[in-house]
C-alpha cells in the first residue's frame, strides 16, 4: 500500500473507532474507552484531515458536535443553540495565560479591522466598546472562573416561572425532551417563586456579593427563562448506587448493572425512558448559564456580566457552585486553577477541569464565536481520571489481617494526576464480575482519594485463551491454607503472624504516621528486615543495633543512624496511638482513642471483659469481642509487655479524664471544604478538646461544621434539626484554643 492509501485507511479506521465510541457514549451511556482515549483518537483524525483536507468526509466525527437522539424521546429544538467550549489541553497553569493572550490578541485585531473598515464607505464601522478599549489600554480582563462539572448538559425552560421543559444538549441544535426525568431532581425548582430569601439559599455556602457597580437585580424571574447547567451525580451517591446494584446482582437481579463512573450513571438516569427508574438514581444540578431569556425591551433582566447572571440564578433558587470566582487577568486564573486542583480530590463530585469565561457581556458579544465555539470561554482541563492500560499480571496480596486481595499489575499509566501501576480488584467476586484477565486492556479510574480501580475491560482486545482469574487455595506468601468464611466475600490466609506478609503489614502499620510514626521505616526496608529475618516480632524493631542495620543492602551509615533515632523518638507516644499501632482487628484510630480516653490505662484495657469494653462509647459487640480475643492471646500480651520493656511509654495519667475537657461528650461531623483548615486539622483541634468527630450525621450529632460544597450531610443535618456551624462557629466553640 502506498503511503497515501495507508493514510486514507488510517482516517477510515479512526472514523469507525470514533463513531463506535460516540454511539456507546452518547446513545447507550455505556462507553468502552475513556474520554482521554477518545480525545487522542479525535485529535489524530483532526490532524490527518488538516494535512489532507481531501480525506475529510461530511460524516466525519470531526464535523459534528454532539450525540444522536435516542428513539423514544421527543426531539427538542433549542431556541438558542447549546454550544460547546474550546478545550485547552495543556493541563499546566500556562493554559490560562494562553487563553488570556488569545482574548487580548483578538480584541487588538478587531480594533485594527474596525479601523480599516472605517475607511471603507461600504461598511459602517462599529468601534469596540468601553470595556474592550480599557483592555486594550492595558487593564486586566475580568473573568469568571468555574469548575467544569463532569456530568450532562441540560437546558431547563421556565415560562412564567414554571418549569415546562427540560432537554439534553443532543447535537447542540436539537436535544431530547427529558422533562419527566429531570423533574425527579430535587435541586431543580419546578416553580420559581421570585424573591427567595437569601438566607435560605446560602447557609454555609456564602459567596461574596456581586461587586463592581452591580445594579440591583430584579428577583422576579422573566416570563421566558432558559437555565443551562449540568446534571451530575455526587461521588458518594454514585458509590452507594453501585453498592445497591452489586447487592441486587448478587441476589440474582438480571436488570441490575453497575456504572463505570458518576457521569455515565447520571447520563443513564437522565436518558432513562422510565422516570420511575430515573427517580431511584440520586442526581444533583449546578446552573452555569442562560439560553433564551425575555429581552430587556420586554421587561427581561438587563445583565451586564456573567457574574450577575450567576447571582440571579442563585436568587431564583438554582444551585450555583460555591467555587465560582471573579478573577482579574491571567494571574488570578492561574491561582484559581491551582486552588481548585488542590481541592479536586476532596470535592464531593467529579470535575474534569475549570472553565474561564470573560465576565463582561459586552466583551463576550465583541468576541463572538469561531466554528460554533465562543471565543470568550475555554475549558482548562486537569489530568484525566480515567485511562486505558494493560494488565501485566494479577497478583494476590496478603493484608495485615490475612485478607487476600487480587491486585491488577498495570503497565504504568498517568491517571488523575499520578502514575498508577496497581489497581485493586477488591475480591474474587469483583474480579470475576468484571472478568479481568492477564493481558487485558482495561479502563483504570482514579478519582478523589479513592484507590485506583479497574472499572471495565475491553473484551475486543482480549487475546484468545486468556484464562479466567481464580483465587489461590494456598497463601502465595507462606503457603498456609486459604479459607473463605461463610457469608464473607473475602478469602483469608490462616497463617497469622507466621505469615511474613502479615508480619510485614503489621510492621508497616505499626510504623505508620498515625500510629507510632517511625520516620524512614517504609516498605522497602520492612521487606529487607523481614526477608533477612532481622525482625520477626514488633519488639525486635527496637532491638536492632547499628551493626545489623548498617549491614543491610543499600543502607548507608547515616540512614541507619537516622532510623535508630526515629525509633528512639517513637518510644514517647500516646496510649491511643499505641493501641492503634497494635493492629487489633476492627480497632481503627478513633476506636483506639475512645478506648484510651475511656479506660485511661493500658492495664485497664487489657484486663477488661467484653461487658466492660462495651461501655466505651461507640464500641459494639464485634469490636469488643475482637479486643478481648486479642488480649486473651498469650503471644499478644507478651508482645505488649516486651514493647513496654524496650521503653515505649506515654505520659502518665494521659489522656486527661475526658469529662473535664470543654467539648467532652460532644459529637461533631465535618462536611465540605473549610476556608482555612484541612479536615485532619479541624478534627485534631476538636478532638484535643475532648470532642468526637464522626463521619455521619445522626440524631446524636451535636454540631455539623459545614464548609464550601457541603452536600448530603448538610441536608441530613437540616432534616434532623442538628445545628449547622461554619469554621468561625467551630473556633468559637474551641474557645480560642484553635489557632
Ligand atoms: S459553559 C457556551 N460552564 O462542558 C458555553 N459548561 O463544552 C457553554 N460544562 O457540555 C458551556 N461545567 O455541559 C459551561 N461551568 C461550566 C461547565 C460547563 C461543565 C460542560 C457543559 C458542556 C461542556 C462544554
Amino acid at each position: 500500500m502506498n503511503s497515501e492509501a495507508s493514510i486514507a485507511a488510517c482516517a477510515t479506521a479512526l472514523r469507525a473507532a470514533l463513531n463506535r465510541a460516540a454511539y456507546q457514549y452518547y446513545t447507550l451511556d455505556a462507553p468502552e474507552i475513556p474520554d482521554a482515549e477518545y480525545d487522542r483518537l479525535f485529535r489524530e483524525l483532526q490532524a490527518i484531515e488538516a494535512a489532507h483536507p481531501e480525506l475529510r468526509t461530511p460524516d466525519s466525527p470531526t464535523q459534528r458536535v454532539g450525540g444522536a437522539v435516542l428513539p423514544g424521546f421527543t426531539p427538542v429544538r433549542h431556541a438558542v443553540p447549546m454550544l460547546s467550549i474550546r478545550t485547552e489541553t495543556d493541563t499546566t497553569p500556562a493554559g490560562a495565560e494562553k487563553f488570556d493572550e488569545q482574548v487580548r490578541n483578538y480584541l487588538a485585531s478587531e480594533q485594527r479591522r474596525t479601523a480599516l473598515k472605517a475607511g471603507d464607505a461600504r461598511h459602517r464601522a462599529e468601534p469596540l466598546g468601553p470595556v474592550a478599549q480599557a483592555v486594550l489600554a492595558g487593564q486586566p480582563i475580568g473573568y469568571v472562573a468555574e469548575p467544569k462539572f463532569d456530568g450532562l448538559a441540560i437546558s431547563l425552560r421556565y415560562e412564567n416561572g414554571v418549569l415546562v421543559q427540560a432537554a439534553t444538549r443532543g447535537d447542540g441544535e436539537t436535544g431530547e425532551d427529558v422533562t419527566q426525568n429531570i423533574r425527579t431532581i430535587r435541586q431543580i425548582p419546578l416553580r420559581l417563586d421570585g424573591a427567595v430569601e437569601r438566607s435560605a439559599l446560602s447557609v454555609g455556602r456564602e459567596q461574596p456579593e456581586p461587586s463592581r457597580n452591580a445594579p440591583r437585580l430584579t428577583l422576579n424571574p422573566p416570563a421566558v427563562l432558559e437555565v443551562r447547567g449540568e446534571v451530575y451525580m455526587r461521588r458518594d451517591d454514585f458509590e452507594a448506587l453501585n453498592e445497591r446494584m452489586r447487592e441486587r446482582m448478587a441476589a440474582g437481579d438480571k436488570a441490575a448493572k453497575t456504572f463505570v463512573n458518576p457521569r455515565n450513571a447520571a447520563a443513564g438516569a437522565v436518558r432513562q425512558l422510565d422516570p420511575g427508574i430515573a427517580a431511584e438514581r440520586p442526581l444533583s444540578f449546578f446552573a452555569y448559564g442562560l439560553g433564551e431569556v425575555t429581552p430587556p425591551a420586554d421587561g427581561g433582566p438587563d445583565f451586564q456580566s456573567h457574574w450577575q447572571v450567576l447571582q440571579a440564578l442563585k436568587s431564583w433558587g438554582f444551585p450555583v457552585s460555591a467555587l465560582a470566582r471573579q478573577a482579574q487577568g491571567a494571574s488570578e486564573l492561574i491561582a484559581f486553577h491551582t486552588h481548585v486542583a488542590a481541592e479536586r480530590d476532596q470535592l464531593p463530585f467529579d470535575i474534569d477541569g475549570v472553565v474561564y469565561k470573560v465576565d463582561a457581556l459586552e466583551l463576550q458579544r465583541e468576541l463572538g464565536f469561531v466554528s460554533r465555539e465562543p471565543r470568550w470561554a475555554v475549558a482548562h482541563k486537569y489530568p484525566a481520571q480515567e485511562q486505558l492500560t494493560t494488565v501485566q499480571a494479577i497478583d494476590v496480596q496478603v493484608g495485615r489481617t490475612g485478607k487476600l486481595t487480587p491486585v491488577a499489575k498495570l503497565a504504568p499509566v498517568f491517571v488523575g494526576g499520578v502514575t498508577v501501576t496497581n489497581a485493586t480488584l477488591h475480591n474474587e467476586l469483583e474480579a470475576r464480575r468484571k472478568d479481568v484477565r492477564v493481558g487485558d486492556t482495561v479502563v483504570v479510574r482514579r478519582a478523589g482519594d479513592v484507590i485506583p480501580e479497574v472499572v471495565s475491560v475491553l473484551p475486543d482486545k482480549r487475546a484468545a485463551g486468556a484464562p479466567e482469574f481464580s483465587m489461590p487455595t494456598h497463601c502465595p506468601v507462606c503457603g498456609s491454607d486459604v479459607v473463605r468464611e461463610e457469608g464473607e466475600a473475602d478469602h483469608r490466609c490462616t497463617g497469622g503472624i507466621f505469615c511474613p506478609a502479615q508480619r510485614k503489614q503489621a510492621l508497616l502499620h505499626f510504623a505508620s504516621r498515625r500510629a507510632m510514626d517511625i520516620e524512614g521505616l517504609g516498605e522497602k526496608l520492612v521487606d529487607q528486615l523481614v526477608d533477612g529475618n532481622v525482625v520477626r516480632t514488633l519488639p525486635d524493631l527496637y532491638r536492632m543495633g547499628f551493626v545489623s542495620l548498617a549491614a543491610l543492602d543499600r543502607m548507608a551509615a547515616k540512614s541507619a543512624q537516622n532510623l535508630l533515632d526515629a525509633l528512639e523518638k517513637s518510644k514517647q507516644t500516646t496510649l491511643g496511638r499505641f493501641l492503634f499501632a497494635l493492629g487489633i482487628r476492627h480497632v481503627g484510630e478513633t476506636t483506639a482513642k475512645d478506648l484510651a480516653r475511656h479506660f485511661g490505662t493500658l492495664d485497664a484495657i487489657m484486663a477488661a471483659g467484653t461487658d466492660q469494653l462495651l461501655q466505651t462509647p461507640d464500641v459494639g459487640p464485634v469490636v469488643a469481642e475482637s479486643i478481648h480475643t486479642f488480649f486473651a492471646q498469650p503471644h499478644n500480651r507478651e508482645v505488649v509487655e516486651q514493647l513496654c520493656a524496650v521503653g515505649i511509654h506515654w505520659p502518665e495519667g494521659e489522656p486527661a479524664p475526658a469529662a473535664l475537657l470543654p467539648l467532652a461528650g460532644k459529637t461533631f461531623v465535618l462536611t465540605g471544604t473549610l476556608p482555612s483548615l484541612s479536615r485532619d486539622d479541624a478534627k485534631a483541634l476538636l478532638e484535643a478538646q475532648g470532642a468526637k468527630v464522626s463521619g455521619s450525621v445522626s440524631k446524636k450529632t451535636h454540631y455539623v461544621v459545614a464548609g464550601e460544597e457541603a452536600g448530603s450531610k448538610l441536608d441530613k443535618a437540616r432534616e434532623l434539626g442538628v445545628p449547622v456551624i461554619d469554621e468561625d462557629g467551630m473556633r468559637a466553640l474551641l474557645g480560642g484554643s484553635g489557632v
Side-chain angles (χ1 to χ4, degrees):
M1 210 175 351
N2 66 29
S3 90
E4 239 159 69
S6 76
I7 290 170
C10 196
T12 308
L14 284 168
R15 273 197 284 271
L18 286 164
N19 279 334
R20 181 185 149 98
Y23 175 73
Q24 288 166 341
Y25 179 107
Y26 288 111
T27 309
L28 304 181
D29 294 320
E32 261 188 7
I33 61 170
D35 290 5
E37 180 68 7
Y38 182 92
D39 291 347
R40 198 183 62 73
L41 299 176
F42 194 88
R43 281 198 298 272
E44 213 175 297
L45 180 59
Q46 265 180 331
I48 293 181
E49 289 179 347
H52 304 272
E54 72 284 1
L55 293 179
R56 187 174 292 153
T57 60
D59 66 340
S60 172
T62 57
Q63 304 302 301
R64 71 163 177 171
V65 193
V69 172
L70 203 67
F73 284 112
T74 315
V76 176
R77 213 176 153 72
H78 299 299
V80 174
M82 289 181 79
L83 302 172
S84 63
I85 28 187
R86 196 170 60 76
T87 300
E88 175 56 67
T89 45
D90 178 348
T91 55
T92 71
E97 266 164 359
K98 240 194 251 175
F99 172 57
D100 184 62
E101 204 175 288
Q102 281 159 354
V103 173
R104 281 176 182 286
N105 289 345
Y106 180 77
L107 290 175
S109 69
E110 266 305 280
Q111 190 182 40
R112 220 171 16 250
R113 217 161 59 85
T114 311
L116 288 175
K117 267 192 184 174
D120 183 338
R122 288 168 304 171
H123 290 279
R124 196 169 62 84
E126 280 194 39
L128 293 176
V131 184
Q133 296 294 346
V135 168
L136 290 169
Q139 291 278 317
I141 299 175
Y143 295 102
V144 173
E146 303 167 14
K148 185 170 189 299
F149 314 106
D150 203 3
L152 179 77
I154 289 287
S155 185
L156 306 171
R157 186 176 173 91
Y158 291 83
E159 287 176 3
N160 301 314
V162 177
L163 176 67
V164 293
Q165 191 169 59
T168 62
R169 172 158 164 261
D171 64 3
E173 302 286 343
T174 307
E176 297 160 330
D177 186 333
V178 288
T179 316
Q180 289 309 89
N181 294 344
I182 292 299
R183 280 181 196 281
T184 67
I185 304 176
R186 281 189 297 173
Q187 279 188 326
I188 293 183
L190 298 179
R191 170 186 291 279
L192 309 177
D193 289 330
V196 182
E197 248 192 88
R198 295 201 72 83
S199 59
L201 291 171
S202 50
V203 179
R205 308 172 182 211
E206 207 44 76
Q207 281 185 15
E209 286 300 302
S211 61
R212 288 181 267 272
N213 317 322
R216 266 192 66 80
L217 293 169
T218 158
L219 284 175
N220 290 331
V224 172
L225 174 71
E226 277 183 13
V227 174
R228 302 269 161 95
E230 198 89 349
V231 169
Y232 67 97
M233 194 177 284
R234 292 170 51 99
R235 284 181 192 146
D236 52 0
D237 286 335
F238 167 72
E239 301 293 341
L241 172 66
N242 265 356
E243 192 53 44
R244 282 205 302 279
M245 288 294 176
R246 276 194 283 270
E247 277 164 18
R248 281 174 45 184
M249 284 158 74
D253 182 345
K254 292 270 183 295
K257 67 163 200 161
T258 53
F259 299 91
V260 295
N261 58 38
R263 192 205 41 230
N264 291 118
V270 169
R271 302 176 73 239
Q272 171 58 245
L273 285 169
D274 176 355
I277 298 180
E280 289 172 8
R281 316 251 171 98
L283 296 173
S284 303
F285 179 75
F286 275 127
Y288 54 62
L290 297 173
E292 192 191 353
V293 184
T294 310
D298 297 332
D302 189 10
F303 295 119
Q304 306 296 314
S305 70
H306 179 64
W307 187 251
Q308 287 175 358
V309 170
L310 293 184
Q311 303 313 307
L313 285 168
K314 252 211 296 183
S315 77
W316 290 326
F318 294 96
V320 171
S321 171
L323 290 168
R325 292 276 183 281
Q326 282 178 298
Q328 298 297 311
S331 61
E332 290 189 15
L333 292 182
I334 292 175
F336 182 80
H337 186 264
T338 314
H339 166 71
V340 176
E343 298 281 305
R344 186 185 186 196
D345 277 358
Q346 275 92 52
L347 292 177
F349 46 83
D350 279 4
I351 60 170
D352 55 351
V354 290
V355 178
Y356 310 133
K357 300 172 183 174
V358 169
D359 194 14
L361 301 188
E362 173 204 312
L363 261 192
Q364 287 192 3
R365 282 187 288 271
E366 270 153 356
L367 287 157
F369 298 84
V370 57
S371 62
R372 305 170 52 83
E373 288 171 351
R375 283 195 192 85
W376 44 264
V378 76
H380 192 185
K381 290 272 213 172
Y382 288 128
Q385 290 175 321
E386 283 174 21
Q387 290 288 5
L388 278 189
T389 186
T390 52
V391 177
Q392 297 176 325
I394 299 178
D395 281 5
V396 175
Q397 291 182 352
V398 187
R400 183 165 56 86
T401 56
K403 182 188 160 199
L404 267 56
T405 308
V407 175
K409 296 278 163 188
L410 307 169
V413 60
F414 190 68
V415 50
V418 299
T419 299
V420 168
T421 51
N422 290 324
T424 179
L425 296 169
H426 301 291
N427 55 43
E428 186 181 44
L429 271 164
E430 276 289 293
R432 288 211 174 197
R433 195 175 58 72
K434 287 179 184 156
D435 192 15
V436 182
R437 304 186 191 186
V438 175
D440 276 354
T441 301
V442 292
V443 179
V444 180
R445 172 177 157 87
R446 182 193 168 271
D449 24 31
V450 190
I451 37 178
E453 218 193 357
V454 168
V455 290
S456 59
V457 173
L458 270 60
D460 294 0
K461 301 213 168 177
R462 172 171 296 159
E468 251 184 73
F469 170 77
S470 63
M471 256 337 189
T473 52
H474 291 91
C475 173
V477 179
C478 73
S480 301
D481 285 348
V482 165
V483 293
R484 182 165 143 195
E485 279 158 35
E486 237 192 78
E488 278 209 19
D490 297 331
H491 288 71
R492 277 177 204 287
C493 160
T494 53
I497 200 88
F498 166 74
C499 176
Q502 292 179 63
R503 210 181 300 154
K504 282 180 187 174
Q505 293 300 323
L507 286 169
L508 278 173
H509 172 75
F510 185 81
S512 64
R513 201 169 52 83
R514 291 162 185 274
M516 299 301 284
D517 195 15
I518 307 172
E519 225 183 297
L521 190 55
E523 222 164 289
K524 289 217 173 74
L525 187 53
V526 165
D527 281 352
Q528 275 184 298
L529 294 173
V530 172
D531 296 341
N533 245 337
V534 181
V535 173
R536 299 167 69 88
T537 66
L538 296 174
D540 283 350
L541 276 176
Y542 292 91
R543 298 189 188 115
M544 293 185 295
F546 181 82
V547 178
S548 58
L549 264 179
L552 292 174
D553 244 16
R554 291 186 303 274
M555 174 67 85
K558 175 120 177 62
S559 317
Q561 191 53 51
N562 286 347
L563 182 64
L564 289 176
D565 292 348
L567 280 160
E568 196 54 40
K569 194 170 140 216
S570 75
K571 288 182 181 171
Q572 155 104 43
T573 184
T574 65
L575 178 53
R577 276 176 176 272
F578 180 73
L579 276 174
F580 175 55
L582 291 176
I584 307 168
R585 204 162 162 215
H586 302 302
V587 177
E589 202 185 357
T590 311
T591 306
K593 278 185 199 158
D594 287 347
L595 288 165
R597 203 172 285 150
H598 183 76
F599 285 94
T601 68
L602 179 63
D603 286 347
I605 298 170
M606 288 175 71
T610 40
D611 283 353
Q612 284 165 292
L613 289 162
L614 278 168
Q615 304 294 312
T616 319
D618 289 322
V619 166
V622 175
V623 183
E625 187 56 41
S626 167
I627 301 164
H628 184 67
T629 315
F630 182 90
F631 287 119
Q633 311 296 313
H635 62 264
N636 287 337
R637 297 182 83 93
E638 201 176 308
V639 163
V640 170
E641 268 164 36
Q642 290 181 10
L643 285 170
C644 294
V646 295
I648 291 178
H649 63 283
W650 43 90
E652 268 304 294
E654 185 265 0
L660 296 182
L661 289 169
L663 296 181
K666 299 280 185 250
T667 305
F668 285 70
V669 172
L670 300 165
T671 176
T673 312
L674 298 179
S676 71
L677 287 173
S678 72
R679 281 261 176 111
D680 280 351
D681 290 347
K683 188 166 176 245
L685 284 175
L686 288 166
E687 285 178 348
Q689 298 292 304
K692 217 179 118 51
V693 178
S694 160
S696 56
V697 181
S698 74
K699 275 184 288 186
K700 292 186 184 156
T701 310
H702 293 92
Y703 295 99
V704 167
V705 186
E708 282 190 356
E709 307 292 358
S712 57
K713 289 179 193 166
L714 183 58
D715 297 340
K716 187 85 188 280
R718 293 219 185 99
E719 201 179 300
L720 296 175
V722 174
V724 177
I725 56 174
D726 58 8
E727 185 182 314
D728 288 345
M730 184 189 99
R731 285 176 189 276
L733 286 177
L734 289 166
S737 61
V739 202

